[in-house]
């Protein structure tokens, strides 16, 4: 009977694991199943581009069926597992609860926004983690401009022209930079708003923005943002959010109808239901080979990769790998080899990877980047960032879509329509 290899999660880690398993395992000896909530891989580094309207939201995803030839795709939500029996529980898209048996399970369920118990945060702030977050942000920006333009009172208008981002990692900085870039273009069509001006604030609890890059590049990014009139508040935290404003820990009140929370991630909560060992941060504890240590009685093997796993970082002893796509992709490829080696009686290998580079776009055709130790900034870094994403995006057709979107936005500006209810049909009889 064929081995059952099941992958939970079809993001960067799970998708690359599936692709590698298709090459490594003969189809007559193993059957690979991928369970994912959506039928696509979300290319998260391009989410700020979708929010900032340089990219069509559909172009920052990769349909899984178009890239996986012989993997069985189950669309549904993983709900739990019984590791002793080798069973994964899934709530399938048609509403049915099913159990999938596995001999080898790869957990790649990613992460969710890490929120804090700040009054009003959950009710009034938005994240930037999903395609709907990016689309909602773009619509929110345009709706705010439309409302502000219709208001007589400048104080009320200021609320709609205030935008606060909390958390200055690459998601926060890229998200704010792209959205502000878009707003600067869009506001030209709103005379009242243009006369009053917008307020953009980036709040970061640590001493500097973008801890992922060296201090010199972080200073460049901060200088660049400040040069565009963006207020950068480092060593500052958020105290409270209401529908109309954000209050910083020092008591300063910023009128803003848009507050975006990009202050870190935590493992997908469902990993706590898998009956597997977790570390203090809720990540699955794994050996350097990415295998999860289980009770000696367990007959099936379990592996964990990506943002939901604490994979020991060989380049920083005593620490775990950071939650990045470049780590998840490489872990996905290696875990596939380790699973194949385990099934074939071969030797597994530990994960070793040292970050080779970082790219972060800052809007205005500028970016910061490090490639093989060389630091880039400004326009050359922007070219590197776009080339990097073009090369990494799976599939020629998907690359072409990016290229076309980027060039159309460069030549004709960004599309400033706000199709707020796209995807939610009007109930019949209510038109
Ligand atoms: C805005 C933004 C920008 C980023 N930019 C960069 C960057 O420039 N460079 C970089 O290296 N990293 C970047 N990252 C980080 C990167 O996205 C993550 O580190 C990477 O996606 C982790 O891969 P993963 O496979 O662990 O998780 P994911 O790619 O998130 O995949 C997890 C998958 O599991 C699915 N899933 C979750 N729960 C369930 C469930 N219960 N049942 C079924 N399926 C489920 C999800 O739908 C998803 O498809 C960025 C992240 C964000 C949010």
């Amino acid at each position: 009977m064929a081995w059952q290899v099941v992958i939970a999660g079809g993001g960067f880690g799970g998708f690359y694991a599936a692709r590698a398993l298709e090459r490594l395992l003969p189809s007559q000896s193993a059957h690979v199943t991928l369970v994912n909530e959506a039928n696509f891989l979300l290319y998260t580094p391009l989410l700020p581009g979708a929010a900032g309207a340089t990219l069509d939201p559909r172009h920052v995803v990769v349909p899984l069926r178009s890239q996986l030839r012989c993997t069985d795709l189950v669309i549904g939500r993983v709900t739990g597992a019984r590791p002793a029996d080798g069973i994964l529980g899934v709530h399938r898209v048609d509403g049915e609860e099913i159990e999938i048996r596995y001999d080898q399970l790869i957990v790649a369920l990613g992460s969710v926004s890490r929120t804090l118990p700040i009054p009003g945060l959950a009710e009034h702030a938005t994240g930037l983690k999903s395609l709907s977050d990016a689309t909602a942000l773009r619509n929110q920006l345009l709706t705010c401009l439309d409302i502000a333009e219709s208001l007589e009172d400048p104080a009320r208008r200021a609320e709609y022209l205030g935008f606060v981002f909390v958390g200055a990692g690459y998601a926060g900085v890229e998200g704010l930079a792209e959205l502000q870039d878009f707003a600067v273009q869009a506001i030209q069509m709103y005379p009242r708003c243009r006369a009053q001006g917008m307020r953009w604030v980036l709040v970061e609890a640590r001493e500097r923005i973008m801890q992922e890059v060296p201090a010199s590049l972080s200073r460049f990014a901060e200088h660049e943002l400040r040069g565009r009139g963006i207020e950068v508040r480092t060593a500052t935290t958020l105290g409270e959010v209401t529908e109309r404003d954000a209050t910083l820990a020092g008591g300063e009140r910023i009128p803003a109808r848009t507050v975006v929370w990009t202050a870190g991630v935590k493992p997908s909560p469902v990993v706590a239901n898998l009956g597997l060992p977790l570390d203090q941060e809720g990540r699955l504890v794994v050996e350097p080979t990415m295998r999860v240590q289980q009770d000696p009685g367990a007959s099936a093997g379990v592996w964990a990769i990506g943002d939901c796993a604490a994979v020991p970082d060989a380049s920083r002893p005593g620490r775990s790998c950071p939650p990045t796509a470049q780590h998840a992709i490489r872990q996905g490829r290696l875990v596939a080899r380790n699973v194949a080696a385990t099934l074939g009686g071969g030797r597994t290998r530990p994960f070793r990877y040292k970050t080779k580079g970082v790219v972060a776009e800052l809007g205005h055709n500028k970016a910061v980047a490090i490639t093989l130790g060389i630091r880039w900034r400004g326009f050359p870094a922007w070219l590197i960032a776009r080339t990097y994403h073009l090369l990494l995006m799976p599939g020629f057709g998907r690359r072409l879509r990016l290229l076309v979107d980027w060039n159309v936005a460069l030549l004709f500006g960004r599309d400033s329509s706000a199709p707020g209810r796209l995807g939610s049909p009007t109930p019949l009889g209510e038109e």
Side-chain angles (χ1 to χ4, degrees):
M1 210 171 64
W3 296 108
Q4 299 296 324
V5 181
V6 176
I7 305 168
F12 280 103
F15 169 73
Y16 280 91
R19 274 238 292 224
L21 283 169
E22 287 191 349
R23 268 187 291 109
L24 292 165
L25 294 177
S27 53
Q28 66 277 16
S29 63
H31 181 238
V32 181
T33 304
L34 175 67
V35 186
N36 197 48
E37 272 177 329
N39 74 349
F40 56 77
L41 153 77
L42 176 62
Y43 193 106
T44 44
L46 294 178
L47 269 185
T54 46
L55 291 171
D56 184 314
R58 285 169 312 154
H59 297 169
V60 304
V61 304
V62 181
L64 290 167
R65 289 186 203 277
S66 74
Q67 295 294 319
L68 298 172
R69 285 171 294 110
C70 43
T71 299
D72 196 11
L73 195 60
V74 175
I75 306 299
R77 193 160 35 82
V78 171
T79 51
R82 294 202 311 276
D85 305 323
I87 294 289
L88 184 73
V90 175
H91 179 86
R92 211 170 47 189
V93 67
D94 60 350
E96 199 172 324
E97 303 293 336
I98 59 167
E99 293 194 333
I100 303 179
R101 194 188 68 75
Y102 61 82
D103 297 302
Q104 300 290 325
L105 170 68
I106 299 171
V107 185
L109 290 166
S111 55
V112 296
S113 295
R114 178 173 50 86
T115 52
L116 298 174
I118 295 172
L121 181 69
E123 295 85 354
H124 304 295
T126 315
L128 182 53
K129 262 305 257 160
S130 67
L131 205 54
S132 31
D133 291 343
T135 311
L137 261 180
R138 172 190 157 157
N139 290 339
Q140 160 83 0
L141 168 74
L142 294 164
T143 307
C144 280
L145 289 178
D146 282 324
I147 296 175
E149 191 65 15
S150 68
L151 295 173
E152 300 294 336
D153 177 6
R156 281 201 62 209
R157 213 182 292 138
E159 289 171 14
Y160 290 93
L161 296 175
F163 301 88
V164 178
F165 274 66
V166 186
Y170 44 37
V173 170
E174 286 188 307
L176 174 136
E178 281 286 347
L179 210 65
Q180 195 259 1
D181 208 2
F182 177 35
V184 167
Q185 181 203 300
I187 204 170
Q188 302 309 322
M189 292 177 279
Y190 298 83
R192 260 186 187 165
C193 297
R194 196 178 61 222
Q196 177 154 344
M198 297 178 285
R199 186 172 181 196
W200 289 80
V201 183
L202 177 61
V203 179
E204 167 56 48
R206 285 182 281 188
E207 294 297 324
R208 70 174 174 93
I209 65 167
M210 298 194 75
Q211 299 282 329
E212 304 91 342
V213 301
S216 61
L217 290 184
S218 151
R219 274 198 301 276
F220 173 81
E222 186 172 332
H223 181 74
E224 186 59 41
L225 297 180
R226 285 188 193 280
R228 295 177 201 169
I230 296 166
E231 299 169 40
V232 181
R233 306 290 176 82
T234 48
T236 306
T237 54
L238 180 70
E240 187 183 357
V241 191
T242 70
E243 195 187 350
R244 310 170 70 157
D245 56 28
T247 306
L248 304 184
E252 185 190 351
R253 178 184 162 272
I254 303 169
R257 293 264 173 174
T258 310
V259 176
V260 186
W261 179 261
T262 49
V265 294
K266 64 176 185 189
S268 177
V270 72
V271 300
N273 302 342
L274 300 181
L276 297 165
L278 303 177
D279 73 356
Q280 277 182 338
E281 292 176 38
R283 294 171 301 185
L284 290 163
V285 179
V286 296
E287 298 168 356
T289 56
M290 295 169 287
R291 183 193 275 275
V292 177
Q293 264 192 357
Q294 298 185 82
D295 295 336
S299 54
V302 181
W303 312 74
I305 57 173
D307 287 8
C308 72
V311 179
D313 188 343
S315 68
R316 301 180 309 160
R319 299 177 67 180
S320 306
C321 292
T324 75
Q326 48 180 308
H327 283 82
I329 289 170
R330 286 161 180 90
Q331 288 165 5
R333 289 183 184 138
L334 180 64
V335 87
R337 267 190 248 136
N338 283 348
V339 166
T342 304
L343 295 177
R347 218 162 53 87
T348 56
R349 288 185 9 213
F351 180 71
R352 285 187 211 286
Y353 173 66
K354 188 166 182 305
T355 306
K356 292 204 175 60
V358 180
V359 293
E361 285 197 45
L362 300 174
H364 285 238
N365 303 351
K366 290 186 180 164
V368 287
I370 309 173
T371 50
L372 302 171
I374 304 168
R375 296 172 191 193
W376 306 84
R377 51 197 191 182
F379 184 70
W382 177 81
L383 272 183
I384 290 172
R386 293 233 158 152
T387 311
Y388 171 78
H389 291 310
L390 264 186
L391 294 177
L392 199 61
M393 173 61 84
F396 178 72
R398 309 309 295 178
R399 289 181 195 148
L400 206 56
R401 284 175 167 88
L402 292 185
L403 211 54
V404 169
D405 278 4
W406 281 332
N407 285 305
V408 167
L410 275 178
L411 289 174
F412 303 105
R414 308 174 191 213
D415 181 0
S416 55
S417 54
R421 294 195 57 194
L422 212 66
S424 338
T426 311
L428 279 176
E430 281 188 21
E431 295 97 337

Coordinates of all heavy atoms in Angstrom, one line a residue, residues 283-327:
R283 N 4.8 27.8 19.5 CA 5.3 27.1 18.3 C 5.6 25.6 18.5 O 5.9 25.2 19.6 CB 6.6 27.8 17.7 CG 6.4 29.2 17.3 CD 7.7 29.9 17.0 NE 8.6 29.9 18.2 CZ 9.7 30.5 18.3 NH1 10.2 31.1 17.2 NH2 10.4 30.5 19.4
L284 N 5.5 24.8 17.5 CA 5.8 23.4 17.6 C 7.3 23.2 17.8 O 8.1 23.8 17.1 CB 5.3 22.6 16.4 CG 3.8 22.6 16.2 CD1 3.4 22.2 14.8 CD2 3.2 21.5 17.2
V285 N 7.6 22.4 18.8 CA 9.0 22.2 19.1 C 9.5 21.1 18.1 O 8.9 20.0 18.0 CB 9.2 21.7 20.6 CG1 10.7 21.4 20.9 CG2 8.6 22.7 21.5
V286 N 10.6 21.4 17.4 CA 11.1 20.4 16.5 C 12.7 20.2 16.7 O 13.3 21.0 17.2 CB 10.9 20.8 15.0 CG1 9.4 20.8 14.7 CG2 11.5 22.1 14.7
E287 N 13.1 19.1 16.2 CA 14.6 18.8 16.2 C 15.2 19.6 15.0 O 14.5 20.1 14.1 CB 14.8 17.3 16.0 CG 14.3 16.4 17.1 CD 14.2 15.0 16.7 OE1 14.6 14.6 15.5 OE2 13.9 14.1 17.5
P288 N 16.5 19.7 14.9 CA 17.1 20.4 13.8 C 16.7 19.8 12.4 O 16.7 20.5 11.4 CB 18.6 20.2 14.0 CG 18.8 20.0 15.5 CD 17.5 19.3 15.9
T289 N 16.3 18.5 12.4 CA 15.8 18.0 11.1 C 14.4 18.4 10.8 O 13.8 18.0 9.8 CB 15.8 16.4 11.2 OG1 15.1 16.0 12.3 CG2 17.2 15.9 11.3
M290 N 13.7 19.1 11.8 CA 12.3 19.5 11.7 C 11.3 18.5 12.1 O 10.1 18.6 11.9 CB 12.0 20.2 10.3 CG 12.9 21.4 10.1 SD 12.8 22.0 8.4 CE 13.8 20.8 7.6
R291 N 11.8 17.3 12.6 CA 10.9 16.3 13.1 C 10.4 16.7 14.5 O 11.2 17.2 15.3 CB 11.7 15.0 13.1 CG 10.8 13.8 13.5 CD 11.6 12.6 13.9 NE 12.0 11.8 12.7 CZ 11.2 10.9 12.2 NH1 10.0 10.6 12.7 NH2 11.6 10.1 11.2
V292 N 9.1 16.4 14.7 CA 8.5 16.7 16.0 C 8.8 15.5 16.9 O 8.6 14.4 16.5 CB 7.0 16.9 15.9 CG1 6.4 17.1 17.3 CG2 6.7 18.2 15.0
Q293 N 9.3 15.7 18.1 CA 9.5 14.6 19.0 C 8.2 14.2 19.6 O 7.5 15.0 20.2 CB 10.4 15.1 20.2 CG 11.9 14.7 19.9 CD 12.7 14.9 21.1 OE1 12.3 15.3 22.2 NE2 14.0 14.5 21.0
Q294 N 7.9 12.9 19.4 CA 6.6 12.4 19.9 C 6.8 11.3 20.9 O 8.0 10.8 21.1 CB 5.8 11.8 18.7 CG 5.5 12.8 17.6 CD 4.6 12.1 16.6 OE1 3.4 12.0 16.8 NE2 5.2 11.7 15.5
D295 N 5.7 10.8 21.5 CA 5.8 9.7 22.4 C 6.4 8.5 21.6 O 6.1 8.3 20.4 CB 4.4 9.3 22.9 CG 3.8 10.4 23.8 OD1 4.7 11.2 24.3 OD2 2.6 10.5 23.8
P296 N 7.2 7.6 22.3 CA 7.8 6.5 21.6 C 6.8 5.6 20.9 O 7.1 5.0 19.9 CB 8.6 5.7 22.7 CG 8.6 6.7 23.9 CD 7.5 7.7 23.7
G297 N 5.6 5.5 21.4 CA 4.5 4.7 20.8 C 4.0 5.1 19.4 O 3.4 4.4 18.7
A298 N 4.2 6.4 19.1 CA 3.6 7.0 17.9 C 4.2 6.3 16.6 O 5.4 6.2 16.4 CB 3.9 8.5 17.8
S299 N 3.3 5.8 15.8 CA 3.7 5.0 14.6 C 4.0 5.9 13.4 O 4.8 5.6 12.6 CB 2.7 4.0 14.2 OG 1.4 4.7 14.0
A300 N 3.3 7.1 13.4 CA 3.4 8.0 12.2 C 4.4 9.1 12.6 O 4.5 9.5 13.7 CB 2.1 8.5 11.9
G301 N 5.1 9.6 11.5 CA 6.1 10.7 11.8 C 5.4 12.1 11.6 O 4.5 12.2 10.8
V302 N 5.8 13.0 12.4 CA 5.3 14.4 12.3 C 6.5 15.4 12.1 O 7.5 15.2 12.9 CB 4.4 14.8 13.5 CG1 3.8 16.2 13.3 CG2 3.2 13.8 13.6
W303 N 6.3 16.3 11.2 CA 7.4 17.3 11.0 C 6.7 18.7 11.0 O 5.5 18.8 10.7 CB 8.0 17.1 9.6 CG 8.4 15.7 9.3 CD1 7.6 14.7 9.1 CD2 9.7 15.2 9.3 NE1 8.3 13.5 8.9 CE2 9.6 13.8 9.0 CE3 11.0 15.7 9.6 CZ2 10.7 13.0 8.9 CZ3 12.1 14.9 9.5 CH2 12.0 13.5 9.2
A304 N 7.4 19.8 11.4 CA 6.8 21.1 11.4 C 7.8 22.1 10.8 O 9.0 22.0 11.1 CB 6.4 21.5 12.8
I305 N 7.3 23.0 10.0 CA 8.1 24.0 9.4 C 7.4 25.4 9.3 O 6.3 25.5 9.6 CB 8.4 23.6 7.9 CG1 7.1 23.4 7.1 CG2 9.2 22.4 7.8 CD1 7.3 23.1 5.6
G306 N 8.2 26.4 9.0 CA 7.7 27.7 8.8 C 7.4 28.5 10.1 O 7.9 28.2 11.1
D307 N 6.4 29.4 10.0 CA 6.1 30.3 11.1 C 5.6 29.6 12.3 O 5.6 30.1 13.4 CB 5.1 31.4 10.7 CG 5.7 32.5 9.7 OD1 6.8 32.3 9.3 OD2 5.0 33.4 9.5
C308 N 5.0 28.4 12.1 CA 4.4 27.7 13.3 C 5.3 26.8 14.0 O 4.9 26.2 15.0 CB 3.1 27.0 12.8 SG 3.5 25.5 11.8
A309 N 6.6 26.8 13.5 CA 7.5 25.8 14.2 C 8.8 26.6 14.7 O 9.2 27.6 14.2 CB 8.0 24.8 13.1
A310 N 9.3 26.1 15.8 CA 10.5 26.7 16.4 C 11.7 25.8 15.9 O 12.2 25.0 16.6 CB 10.5 26.6 17.9
V311 N 12.1 26.1 14.6 CA 13.2 25.3 14.0 C 14.5 25.9 14.5 O 14.7 27.1 14.3 CB 13.1 25.4 12.5 CG1 14.3 24.7 11.8 CG2 11.8 24.9 12.0
P312 N 15.4 25.1 15.1 CA 16.6 25.7 15.6 C 17.4 26.3 14.5 O 17.5 25.8 13.4 CB 17.4 24.5 16.2 CG 16.3 23.5 16.5 CD 15.2 23.7 15.4
D313 N 17.9 27.6 14.8 CA 18.7 28.3 13.8 C 20.2 28.0 13.9 O 20.8 28.5 14.9 CB 18.4 29.8 14.0 CG 18.9 30.7 12.9 OD1 19.8 30.2 12.1 OD2 18.5 31.8 12.7
A314 N 20.7 27.3 13.0 CA 22.1 26.9 13.1 C 23.1 28.1 13.0 O 24.2 28.1 13.5 CB 22.5 25.9 11.9
S315 N 22.6 29.2 12.4 CA 23.5 30.4 12.3 C 23.4 31.3 13.5 O 24.2 32.2 13.6 CB 23.1 31.2 11.0 OG 21.8 31.8 11.2
R316 N 22.5 31.0 14.4 CA 22.4 31.8 15.7 C 22.1 30.8 16.8 O 20.9 30.6 17.2 CB 21.2 32.8 15.6 CG 21.4 33.8 14.4 CD 20.3 34.8 14.4 NE 19.0 34.1 14.4 CZ 17.8 34.7 14.7 NH1 17.8 36.0 15.1 NH2 16.7 34.0 14.7
P317 N 23.1 30.1 17.3 CA 22.9 29.0 18.2 C 22.0 29.4 19.4 O 22.2 30.5 19.9 CB 24.3 28.6 18.7 CG 25.2 29.0 17.6 CD 24.5 30.2 17.0
G318 N 21.1 28.5 19.8 CA 20.2 28.8 21.0 C 18.9 29.6 20.6 O 18.1 29.8 21.4
R319 N 18.9 30.0 19.3 CA 17.7 30.7 18.9 C 16.9 30.0 17.8 O 17.5 29.1 17.1 CB 18.1 32.1 18.4 CG 18.7 32.9 19.5 CD 19.2 34.2 19.1 NE 18.1 35.1 18.7 CZ 18.2 36.4 18.3 NH1 19.5 36.9 18.2 NH2 17.2 37.1 18.0
S320 N 15.7 30.4 17.5 CA 14.9 29.7 16.4 C 15.0 30.6 15.2 O 15.3 31.8 15.2 CB 13.5 29.6 16.8 OG 13.4 28.9 18.1
C321 N 14.7 29.9 14.0 CA 14.7 30.7 12.8 C 13.6 31.8 12.8 O 12.5 31.6 13.4 CB 14.3 29.7 11.6 SG 15.6 28.5 11.3
P322 N 13.9 32.9 12.2 CA 12.9 34.0 12.2 C 11.7 33.6 11.3 O 11.9 32.8 10.3 CB 13.6 35.2 11.6 CG 14.8 34.6 10.9 CD 15.1 33.3 11.5
P323 N 10.5 34.2 11.5 CA 9.4 33.9 10.7 C 9.4 34.6 9.3 O 8.8 35.6 9.1 CB 8.2 34.4 11.5 CG 8.7 35.5 12.3 CD 10.2 35.2 12.5
T324 N 10.2 34.0 8.4 CA 10.2 34.7 7.0 C 9.9 33.6 6.0 O 10.1 32.4 6.2 CB 11.6 35.3 6.7 OG1 12.5 34.2 6.4 CG2 12.2 36.1 7.9
A325 N 9.5 34.2 4.8 CA 9.2 33.3 3.7 C 10.5 32.5 3.2 O 10.4 31.4 2.9 CB 8.6 34.1 2.5
Q326 N 11.6 33.2 3.2 CA 12.8 32.6 2.7 C 13.2 31.4 3.6 O 13.7 30.4 3.1 CB 14.0 33.5 2.5 CG 14.3 34.5 3.7 CD 15.5 35.4 3.3 OE1 16.5 34.9 2.9 NE2 15.3 36.7 3.4
H327 N 12.9 31.5 4.9 CA 13.2 30.3 5.7 C 12.2 29.2 5.5 O 12.5 28.0 5.3 CB 13.2 30.7 7.2 CG 14.4 31.4 7.7 ND1 14.6 32.7 7.5 CD2 15.6 30.9 8.2 CE1 15.8 33.0 7.9 NE2 16.4 32.0 8.4

